[in-house]
Amino acid sequence: TMGDRIVVMKDGFIQQVDTPQNLYDLPVNEFVAGFMGSPQMNFIDATLVKEGADYYVTFGAAKIKVPANKANAEIANYVGKEIVFGIRPEDVHDEPEFIEKHPEARATADVEVTELMGAETYLYLNCEGNALTARVEPSSTAKTGDKITIALDMNKMHLFDKETEKTILN
């Protein structure tokens, strides 16, 4: 938190050298994405599909639209392939207003555990068989055992190559 630039290393090899904010917002691979932030980024094995001009991340029954501004030229190479979808806990929302405004980014999830942290609440969810952590407002009404609707801030999403673990979108 005090450095202007940080070197992230894994097994003696430099993964990325950048500002703390860029490491957080623009990780070059899954390792850096998971290393930066607490709780760490959620990773979900998914498939990328294309319908018309739109791209979707699918896992289980969930089908989440990729924003047009995130769909770069490289994304087309991954249609029909398994990818890793990354979303940070603070980008998983259970507020009714957010859910209403983002119908293309909704999924259902079972609340397994809630953890009140004071200024925020962590929801530990099962979303289509995937463990997902959400960092929500302490006023959240979600309780252990509930089935809830969540919406993801897809403008903050990350996609990674399943084999190389390198980012697809940056």
Side-chain angles (χ1 to χ4, degrees), residues 101-170:
K101 289 180 183 177
H102 298 88
E104 71 291 342
R106 292 182 193 157
T108 58
D110 296 309
V111 180
E112 296 186 334
V113 177
T114 64
E115 184 177 9
L116 179 61
M117 303 296 288
E120 60 196 8
T121 296
Y122 293 169
L123 302 179
Y124 299 96
L125 309 169
N126 181 323
C127 182
E128 300 296 332
N130 297 282
L132 199 65
T133 302
R135 192 162 77 186
V136 299
E137 296 295 322
S139 58
S140 172
T141 59
K143 295 188 179 19
T144 300
D146 288 352
K147 182 175 272 303
I148 64 171
T149 299
I150 57 172
L152 310 175
D153 185 347
M154 293 298 282
N155 287 310
K156 306 267 182 82
M157 65 167 246
H158 299 269
L159 298 179
F160 301 96
D161 184 291
K162 182 110 169 116
E163 293 181 19
T164 67
E165 299 184 356
K166 291 182 180 177
T167 188
I168 296 170
L169 298 178
N170 291 351

Side-chain angles (χ1 to χ4, degrees), residues 3-8 16-24 26-28 32 36:
D4 294 341
R5 295 183 60 76
I6 297 173
V7 177
V8 178
Q16 186 172 354
V17 179
D18 217 326
T19 64
Q21 194 65 51
N22 282 346
L23 290 171
Y24 188 78
L26 304 168
V28 297
V32 175
M36 301 299 292

